[in-house]
Amino acid sequence: MAALTLTPGTVSLSQLAEIYWNEKPVALDVACRLAVEHAASRIAAAAAGEEPVYGVNTGFGKLASLKIAREDTAALQRNLILSHCCGVGDPISTCMARLIMTLKLLSFGRGASGVRWEYVELLQEMLARGVTPIIPSQGSVGASGDLAPLAHMTAVVTGQGEAEFRDEVLPGAEALARAGLAPIQLGPKEGLAFINGTQFSTAFALAGLFEAWRAAQNTLLISAMSTDAIMGSTAPLQPEIHALRGQRGQIEAAAAMRDILIGSVIRESHRDGDTRVQDPYCIRCQPQVTGAAMDVLRQAASTLQIEANAATDNPLVLSGADMIVSGGNFHAEPVGFAADMIALALSEIGAISQRRIALMVDPTLSHDLPPFLTPEPGLNSGLMIAEVTTAALMSENKHLANPCVTDSTPTSANQEDHVSMAAHGARRLQQMVVNLNRILGVELICAAQGVEFRAPLQTSQPLQSALIRLRQDIATLKEDRYLAPDLETAADLVSSGALIDAVATKLPELQP
């Protein structure tokens, strides 16, 4: 697979999404090499001097006041990495580890970290040849960088730790050797440059963002089908309603749903003579809720795109001022806020989806659909417990949506006395996405069942395409059967993007 060339500081969300979804290898634009090497030479000069420079010839954190002898600076960096390899928990996925490595490359490429160009080349080759560090999932509080997880990544670069190569977990040095690569021993400041930074938190937040946006796109399709299933009104989708409010996401959500529902015979059948005046909010306010979630996701996207392009280690080489300065760009507060925003959007998309499911299985609200969407209620329970499952998932996501960024605690002998908790704030998004896709999968099953009960009336062409795609894998529920595999299959149709591909209609894009 050809490498995607990235220009540090200008990488787009679409490029980051391509890296995430397709695990594309990357290479930095060679134009950034001069700045990278200039910063490295500045660090080398500082290491050769007598003036104490944090992380170059001093200890770390609470030990920053201790001067390190010139001959011990390499050992200092080696010890830093080994001592910080304290991650615990299950290893993160290959996809996530590769995204973290890419983000670290982008940070180095800004020319403020002071690492040698050889490290850029080694990381690029590891991505190209499939050498993936084994990185435990837990251990970062998201301040002073994602220290523990990034130390595990760095260990492999130096021939320590563990890595996956061709589906086999190996000692780091062996994995590199099998790929035809050699480790590089750390020079002054280089270990600190690797582990100071927000790349772990940012990678997981980006993954949550991309998955959440796909879920939002699926929601527009599935909720439109639910609207037809209960013979809901399309009047609340009128463009002037949304223009009068002016919220971008709401306007786009309403427009997408209008387009999806155009040509529905089911809709036309009750345009006149319908005694209902208004639909419940889960139908009538879909653009307002899904659209607001889309707006929140775009706000988070703006923050994360900036962070992906940022230099976030410490100290930084300021070329313009010719200074090496200790600051705090490693503090992941922006990422923590973004992750909390994504969590709120995921929770709310699921909450309103669950209410549509409840609406469809309730014969008092579903406009003459049979109880629990089964042809023979009583003998069969239909989708009764599928709805209960979504209630459980919705509730779990509500709890997971509580903010993480407010939960600071002091660490490192009170030197790092305020932390972001961005790492697990971003990591929890994975479970929330899984929960949401399962909720949406159940809604898809219910909506399809409801639309089929309206036969011979037909839904719109886009929704017929969605129904055909669903029925390739999941049969109509005519009598009770073992449903768990169907729920997983429906969730997979949502999470994989297969449902969106089948419909092939224009849906809102993430770009802020």
Side-chain angles (χ1 to χ4, degrees):
M1 186 185 298
L4 181 66
T5 300
L6 303 177
T7 302
T10 65
V11 174
S12 67
L13 283 171
S14 60
Q15 288 175 310
L16 292 166
E18 185 177 359
I19 294 163
Y20 172 69
W21 292 119
N22 301 321
E23 297 187 22
K24 248 187 122 62
V26 302
L28 297 188
D29 187 332
V30 293
C32 73
R33 180 170 182 168
L34 186 63
V36 171
E37 292 184 332
H38 173 77
S41 67
R42 187 67 179 84
I43 291 293
E50 296 299 325
E51 182 181 347
V53 178
Y54 175 69
V56 177
N57 51 15
T58 72
F60 306 104
K62 197 73 171 178
L63 305 176
S65 60
L66 300 179
K67 183 80 160 53
I68 305 300
R70 189 180 306 170
E71 63 269 20
D72 291 331
T73 55
L76 174 71
Q77 299 298 318
R78 177 182 179 275
N79 291 344
L80 172 71
I81 300 307
L82 295 178
S83 68
H84 283 55
C85 285
C86 291
V88 298
D90 295 333
I92 65 173
S93 67
T94 297
C95 171
M96 292 309 305
R98 290 176 63 85
L99 184 55
I100 291 167
M101 294 165 71
T102 297
L103 294 177
K104 181 54 74 175
L105 276 170
L106 290 174
S107 184
F108 287 166
R110 294 300 302 272
S113 299
V115 301
R116 288 167 287 168
W117 183 254
E118 288 89 336
Y119 274 116
V120 171
E121 293 177 322
L122 180 54
L123 283 173
Q124 290 177 167
E125 286 300 319
M126 288 170 66
L127 287 168
R129 303 186 194 193
V131 179
T132 307
I134 300 298
I135 303 175
S137 56
Q138 294 171 285
S140 174
V141 296
S144 199
D146 291 315
L147 296 171
L150 292 179
H152 284 273
M153 179 192 76
T154 310
V156 176
V157 173
T158 65
Q160 305 289 325
E162 292 183 318
E164 181 184 5
F165 180 67
R166 295 181 179 172
D167 299 322
E168 188 176 356
V169 176
L170 304 164
E174 184 177 348
L176 289 173
R178 288 199 191 181
L181 301 171
I184 303 175
Q185 298 313 306
L186 297 164
K189 203 262 181 184
E190 288 178 324
L192 195 60
F194 265 99
I195 69 172
N196 264 180
T198 65
Q199 286 76 35
F200 180 93
S201 299
T202 304
F204 275 91
L206 282 168
L209 172 70
F210 298 143
E211 299 277 4
W213 192 263
R214 177 174 283 181
Q217 291 179 316
N218 274 289
T219 296
L220 296 173
L221 292 171
I222 296 168
S223 63
M225 188 181 290
S226 297
T227 300
D228 242 10
I230 62 104
M231 289 190 157
S233 175
T234 55
L237 302 178
Q238 287 291 323
E240 191 173 354
I241 294 174
H242 309 287
L244 284 167
R245 192 174 205 180
Q247 299 286 358
R248 176 186 173 187
Q250 178 179 328
I251 292 168
E252 291 182 352
M257 292 185 68
R258 283 197 307 273
D259 289 344
I260 292 165
L261 284 161
I262 286 174
S264 169
V265 179
I266 295 174
R267 172 61 186 121
E268 296 305 318
S269 71
H270 62 96
R271 199 175 285 277
D272 298 319
D274 195 330
T275 58
R276 296 169 298 171
V277 177
Q278 294 178 326
D279 292 317
Y281 288 0
C282 67
I283 298 296
R284 194 182 353 147
C285 299
Q286 291 174 82
Q288 288 81 357
V289 176
T290 305
M294 289 161 54
D295 286 339
V296 167
L297 291 175
R298 283 185 172 130
Q299 291 173 42
S302 179
T303 296
L304 294 176
Q305 181 178 359
I306 292 169
E307 193 72 9
N309 283 285
T312 57
D313 64 276
N314 183 61
L316 292 172
V317 180
L318 308 182
S319 298
D322 194 27
M323 299 169 63
I324 302 171
V325 181
S326 183
N329 280 5
F330 50 67
H331 200 297
E333 194 82 356
V335 183
F337 276 121
D340 283 346
M341 293 165 67
I342 295 167
L344 290 171
L346 288 166
S347 181
E348 280 299 275
I349 292 171
I352 195 169
S353 172
Q354 202 283 327
R355 296 321 302 154
R356 290 190 294 268
I357 295 166
L359 183 74
M360 286 185 282
V361 300
D362 187 344
T364 64
L365 298 173
S366 64
H367 198 55
D368 301 326
L369 291 175
F372 304 107
L373 298 168
T374 179
E376 294 187 69
L379 177 63
N380 295 286
S381 295
L383 294 164
M384 178 190 294
I385 303 305
E387 185 269 330
V388 174
T389 295
T390 65
L393 295 171
M394 173 189 68
S395 182
E396 184 176 324
N397 270 6
K398 286 180 180 179
H399 285 277
L400 288 170
N402 281 299
C404 293
V405 79
T406 55
D407 189 27
S408 177
T409 189
T411 62
S412 193
N414 283 297
Q415 176 76 4
E416 298 153 12
D417 59 351
H418 182 279
V419 300
S420 72
M421 298 300 180
H424 70 262
R427 190 165 45 81
R428 52 121 184 223
L429 299 176
Q430 290 190 314
Q431 185 59 54
M432 293 188 72
V433 165
V434 170
N435 291 345
L436 174 56
N437 287 334
R438 286 173 173 157
I439 293 170
L440 292 173
V442 172
E443 184 184 357
L444 175 61
I445 291 172
C446 290
Q449 195 84 354
V451 163
E452 288 174 333
F453 276 121
R454 302 300 181 187
L457 301 177
Q458 288 191 324
T459 188
S460 66
Q461 188 57 57
L463 293 178
Q464 286 183 55
S465 297
L467 186 56
I468 290 168
R469 179 64 188 86
L470 176 70
R471 292 297 176 233
Q472 289 176 11
D473 297 331
I474 301 174
T476 301
L477 186 63
K478 297 179 180 178
E479 58 184 11
D480 284 350
R481 63 173 184 255
Y482 188 62
L483 278 175
D486 290 347
L487 304 192
E488 288 303 313
T489 298
D492 288 344
L493 283 174
V494 173
S495 65
S496 67
L499 187 71
I500 293 171
D501 292 342
V503 174
T505 193
K506 185 172 175 56
L507 295 168
E509 297 295 334
L510 173 59
Q511 198 67 34

